[in-house]
Amino acid sequence: MTKKKMITISFIIALIFGFPFKWIQYKGEQMVSIFDVYNLGMKNMFFDFSLLFISTFIIFLIWNWILKNNNIRSHTKNVSK
């Protein structure tokens, strides 16, 4: 998989799981569900795009590290046989 596709998928994952990463916040004190954004109005929301970027980057790095380790393990298994 190309890095461009991995970054795009990481961004989509960060968008979907935005609330655990707290990049979408209500200007008041209450917690907000992603499905309540339309009901509360966009003017009452605060979008922290730096947290969204950091979340995307962390997901990408973890995914890249997992794929790299899987490739190393599969390569060492093939060499040892």
Side-chain angles (χ1 to χ4, degrees):
M1 185 176 295
T2 64
K3 291 215 185 264
K4 187 175 182 179
K5 286 182 182 177
M6 285 178 62
I7 291 171
T8 304
I9 293 171
S10 298
F11 179 74
I12 292 169
I13 291 170
L15 279 175
I16 291 171
F17 295 109
F19 285 102
F21 297 120
K22 303 286 187 206
W23 75 271
I24 300 174
Q25 301 169 2
Y26 183 64
K27 286 185 180 176
E29 294 295 323
Q30 71 185 44
M31 294 297 296
V32 174
S33 169
I34 188 81
F35 303 109
D36 291 334
V37 170
Y38 180 75
N39 294 334
L40 294 171
M42 294 301 283
K43 292 181 181 179
N44 296 326
M45 296 293 128
F46 172 71
F47 300 96
D48 192 352
F49 293 110
S50 60
L51 282 177
L52 178 62
F53 171 76
I54 291 169
S55 301
T56 303
F57 188 65
I58 289 170
I59 292 169
F60 173 76
L61 287 178
I62 291 171
W63 192 9
N64 201 16
W65 179 76
I66 289 170
L67 289 177
K68 183 187 257 186
N69 282 344
N70 284 340
N71 287 340
I72 291 171
R73 286 184 188 148
S74 65
H75 179 68
T76 56
K77 286 181 183 177
N78 292 337
V79 171
S80 64
K81 288 184 178 181

